[in-house]
Amino acid sequence: MNRWRLSPAALLGLVLLAPWHAAARCPAPAAPDQRLEVADVERVVAQAADVAGRLGQPATIAVVDRVGNVLAVYQMAGAAPGIRISSGVSSGGGLEGLVVPSTAAAIAKAITGAYLSSSGQAFSTRTAGFIVQDHFPPMIRNVPAGPLFGVQFSQLPCSDLVQGGEPLGIGPRRSPLGLSADPGGFPLYKAGSVVGGVGVVAGGSPVYGIDLNPFDFDNDPEEVIAHSAVRGFDAPDCIRAERVTAGGVSLRYSDADGRRLASSASLPAGGAYVDVPGYFAAAGGPRAGRIFGRAESGIGPDPVNLMGNAFALLTATGANRFPPAGGGSLSQPEVFALLDEAIEVANAARAQIRIPLGSPAQVTVSVVDASGNILGIARTPDAPVFGIDVSLQKARAAALFSRPDAAARLASVNSPAQQAFYISGDPRSASAFFGRPTIFADGMAFTSRALGNIARPSYPDGIDSRPRGPLSSARPAWSPFNVGLQLDLVFPGLAASLAPGGPIIPRCTAAPIGADNGVQIFPGGVPVYRNGVLVGAVGVSGDGVDQDDMIAFLGITRAGRWLGGGLGHAPLLRRADQLGLRYVQCPQSPFNGSDAQNVCSGEGDLPTQGAPLLLRMPPEAQPRPKPVPSTPARPGSAERASPRRPMERER
């Protein structure tokens, strides 16, 4: 049931002319060291349950903290135990038609609200649904897919990176269903800082889906309940998704504005907190969250402060889980340089998705070797949590598909039918599509952007009359829950994780192919070479996709300039742009305080065939000789006492 409808032209005017006046007045978070207390969790649950009861929609309600610890799962009397996955556009396949526990869907919605948000932007599950579809904006024919197409298959419950288990612990924590695009999940804020999220599943026969039509405003009871539950923990209006643009289009946050209901802070009778094996034990009742930025959360300042203001993933004792380390053909100083330079580029870059305008980008950077082993992870302090897992997926995708044995590795986890459909055999498989029987076996260099070009349900991307890209499922089976090879690679581990008990599966793929947490198919993953030989990859996630691309690409360039020894990018004639794909794309005027353009290429967006790679970075961004530590600096050393300055200030 819809509240009202707008014409496509009217809505397009709405999204393109969203108000910006509040963004300019957006205050900085007053107190970043915030957490959800037990009383806060109880209040959110009670507000949701009270509104659900008044609407006659018995609900399952989940609350998580910013790093994904499940703080409460509550089911009202009469709440549906299961929910059916359905996009409404697919003939079947993938996750379509599966019935999963309502508790799993509610947790996934809550985690999505928490993970996509920061002090610079507040995104909901409706926002997620707006940016993962096959067109952006959805339903506009013959335009490319959403900028985060494929991000729904991140934070998976099968992974070597995300954490699992019922007790409170370090993050990032896993999500039972990855990220959710189904309305009914919102972030929770205190004093301007995101502290968690809430997710709601309601009704007698609920469907876990996606809003396919942005040209109306829905009366979605799950969204009304969840948005009412947030009262008192609202995101600052100035950073809500409608203040943020992607490709010149303002995003969507909520269709429930103006319909939120005042609610009681007391739970109605008849419901109960429930066990969710692997996520939440009801016996202890609701619990307080962890404070983001402290060691207890698993994300906080690098304990040896090698990179100035960089944050690290931390162990329970406060040690860096993934400090720069040598592995494969990359040395520890090289890994340090790749992370350090990418962080510096991010500090100088003008963010796309953060308020206020002119904020620096906030991202996570992952470095892997050519086999996908993690060699280091670093992040800026307020980067959204989702980018941790996604940056690693991007790096692993670039490394895996750039290997000369990529086809053989894929064959070890794909069924024969899948291998024929995607790689070689089907008339639309990659080998037939490119006219290269050796595709993914000849060492062609692929970025995650290039892979995304051929992992869309039409090629060129968005042209509805064209057939599928070779790594995509085909219509009418395609849907956001059945995207193609990206899902098929991780389906064994995902299905096992959804079994009763929610077991922790440390690898999503059926065999170790270097993609233990899956792969990602939108920009920000770039392979690293030494003298023409693949040695690893860098993945970046957390801001606009062009910013992610630029930070990864220039991080590699700058590290190579510092270190020499042949470290850098793939040879020009072996890059996927030689196949007609886009290798990288960097934003216009990307740096704060600089009008530099074409920073990733001397002539346009990409180097031309046979031309030397010319990087026209702003003068202040040019590298200066500096030492690269081969061992961690000691606390109190000059490295710790003098954090690196953003590169726009370097002279």
Side-chain angles (χ1 to χ4, degrees), residues 103 137 142 159 171 186 188 374 500 535 605:
T103 52
N142 298 322
S159 173
F186 289 96
L188 298 166
I374 304 173
V535 292
D605 292 331

Side-chain angles (χ1 to χ4, degrees), residues 276-319:
V276 185
Y279 295 90
F280 178 72
R287 48 197 185 177
R290 295 289 175 88
I291 296 177
F292 182 83
R294 295 188 182 178
E296 66 178 18
S297 73
I299 302 172
D302 182 347
V304 294
N305 202 27
L306 285 176
M307 301 173 198
N309 70 340
F311 270 34
L313 301 191
L314 305 177
T315 67
T317 59

Side-chain angles (χ1 to χ4, degrees), residues 142-207:
N142 298 322
V143 296
L148 266 62
F149 181 101
V151 77
Q152 63 269 36
F153 297 112
S154 66
Q155 333 303 319
L156 297 172
C158 49
S159 173
D160 63 333
L161 174 69
V162 298
Q163 305 291 295
E166 296 167 17
L168 291 170
I170 61 171
R173 311 287 283 187
R174 61 181 182 158
S175 168
L177 296 173
L179 292 184
S180 175
D182 187 26
F186 289 96
L188 298 166
Y189 282 76
K190 292 180 72 173
S193 295
V194 58
V195 290
V198 61
V200 171
V201 171
S205 300
V207 173

